[in-house]
Amino acid sequence: MMALVNTGFDLALCAMIVTTALLAVTVRDRFGAVVFFIVYGVFVGLGWLRLGAVDVALAEVALGAGLTGLLLLGANARLPESLPVPSRLAGHVMAAVAGGIAALGAGWAFLSIEGAAGLRQEVAANLETTGVENPVTAVLLNFRGWDTLIESVVLLAALIGIWSTAQDRAWGERPGLRQHVKSGGVLDSFGRLLPPIGLVVGIYIFWAGSSQPGGAFQAGTLLAAVAVVAMMGGAMQPPLIASRWLRLSLVAGPAIFLAIGLAGAAAGTFLGQSAEIAKTLTLFVEAALTLSIAATLALAIIGPPEEQPPEEPSRGEQRRGERV
């Protein structure tokens, strides 16, 4: 009976993934398309969870649905409404082509990995030398450290690209637009209630990453969401781009990762670590990457510095003006 329920749930989940994917590329409303894309990412994350890939599920929901969805919502808000909309026929053709490519890719991947042992045995045999118990963390920071290092640099380059769209005189200002939040409103309440909870959960996900699903990218994404909510709720102001501590936090992860890699190169292997200090170095790199990823993603969501509207006078200032 339980197997039948699980099969029914999996079939329903697959149907929802396909349906939301088709709606995301065929709906004519841009905002609706972004919403369906976010829902699609959540369903894909549930799919990975059903397959037992908890780390991939966390990354998909946090990065694929959450972060990318916020960036798309921001882009949609900046685009003019007069942009040409493709015809419904073009949307259906696009959906058919994309669906066909995805089906062929999924089929090829399934046939190529069916019955294959993969690298699980090799990773398990060398797991002790990494100093961590989570094989995903071991792969990302040890066996394929090159990929993680390049990904962190790509994130920083993407943020610089976003900032480069601002005018030169705005590079010393705060990113994004100044938020005006209604006192006692929903955003004001969420901006003060959610960040402490998210901060605790983010720290736990970072710390658990050495032995359980989690790690720098998942924790950094969650902490970035905490910072964005706090900024939108008016609990904190975006830091000045010219701030020295901000720039240090952005480059800390890639710089420390690269420095440890160069130290390993001096000992014989780039990004190589001694088994005796591997756990300490891994936690050190993870902490620095978490900080840099959180700062980079939060600032990417906030956007480039923009022309700030004049500040509204406070109630006290209005009263003083009325008396004058």
Side-chain angles (χ1 to χ4, degrees):
M1 181 64 182
M2 195 63 186
L4 183 61
V5 173
N6 290 334
T7 302
F9 178 82
D10 291 340
L11 291 175
L13 181 60
C14 290
M16 289 187 290
I17 290 175
V18 174
T19 301
T20 51
L22 291 175
L23 289 172
V25 296
T26 57
V27 69
R28 295 173 65 85
D29 178 60
R30 288 203 310 262
F31 178 78
V34 175
V35 171
F36 280 121
F37 174 83
I38 296 174
V39 176
Y40 163 78
V42 175
F43 285 155
V44 170
L46 290 175
W48 284 116
L49 188 61
R50 289 290 298 161
L51 292 173
V54 182
D55 288 275
V56 182
L58 286 172
E60 174 61 36
V61 174
L63 294 172
L67 173 66
T68 308
L70 285 174
L71 291 175
L72 290 175
L73 287 173
N76 178 65
R78 296 169 186 268
L79 289 174
E81 297 184 0
S82 59
L83 285 178
V85 179
S87 64
R88 188 173 297 274
L89 176 61
H92 289 314
V93 171
M94 185 188 308
V97 172
I101 294 175
L104 290 175
W108 174 82
F110 177 78
L111 293 175
S112 62
I113 66 175
E114 186 178 13
L119 298 176
R120 180 178 299 180
Q121 295 180 355
E122 286 78 2
V123 172
N126 294 277
L127 191 60
E128 292 184 1
T129 62
T130 65
V132 297
E133 301 175 15
N134 184 7
V136 176
T137 302
V139 170
L140 293 179
L141 292 182
N142 292 272
F143 306 137
R144 298 188 64 178
W146 262 108
D147 294 351
T148 306
L149 174 60
I150 294 175
E151 286 172 1
S152 64
V153 175
V154 168
L155 281 178
L156 182 58
L159 177 62
I160 295 174
I162 292 173
W163 281 354
S164 67
T165 60
Q167 299 180 2
D168 292 341
R169 55 186 173 83
W171 271 71
E173 299 179 2
R174 301 184 189 276
L177 285 172
R178 185 177 293 111
Q179 297 290 328
H180 296 281
V181 182
K182 180 181 178 181
S183 178
V186 175
L187 191 55
D188 177 60
S189 300
F190 275 24
R192 301 179 186 279
L193 176 64
L194 295 182
I197 301 174
L199 182 62
V200 173
V201 176
I203 294 175
Y204 169 76
I205 290 178
F206 152 70
W207 184 255
S210 62
S211 57
Q212 304 175 41
F217 278 90
Q218 293 89 339
T221 305
L222 182 57
L223 294 177
V226 168
V228 171
V229 171
M231 294 177 194
M232 294 179 63
M236 63 178 289
Q237 288 292 326
L240 295 173
I241 291 180
S243 172
R244 180 173 299 178
W245 70 264
L246 174 62
R247 298 191 177 193
L248 287 176
S249 66
L250 291 173
V251 302
I256 291 176
F257 203 172
L258 180 60
I260 291 178
L262 293 175
T269 305
F270 182 70
L271 290 176
Q273 303 175 12
S274 172
E276 291 76 14
I277 59 174
K279 184 173 184 178
T280 302
L281 290 179
T282 300
L283 288 175
F284 190 50
V285 172
E286 283 265 274
L289 284 176
T290 301
L291 175 64
S292 295
I293 291 170
T296 303
L297 296 182
L299 293 173
I301 294 172
I302 291 296
E306 297 184 6
E307 199 69 33
Q308 301 289 351
E311 293 189 6
E312 298 179 359
S314 63
R315 294 182 179 179
E317 292 174 344
Q318 290 178 354
R319 291 173 182 173
R320 286 195 297 270
E322 291 173 358
R323 288 197 296 270
V324 172

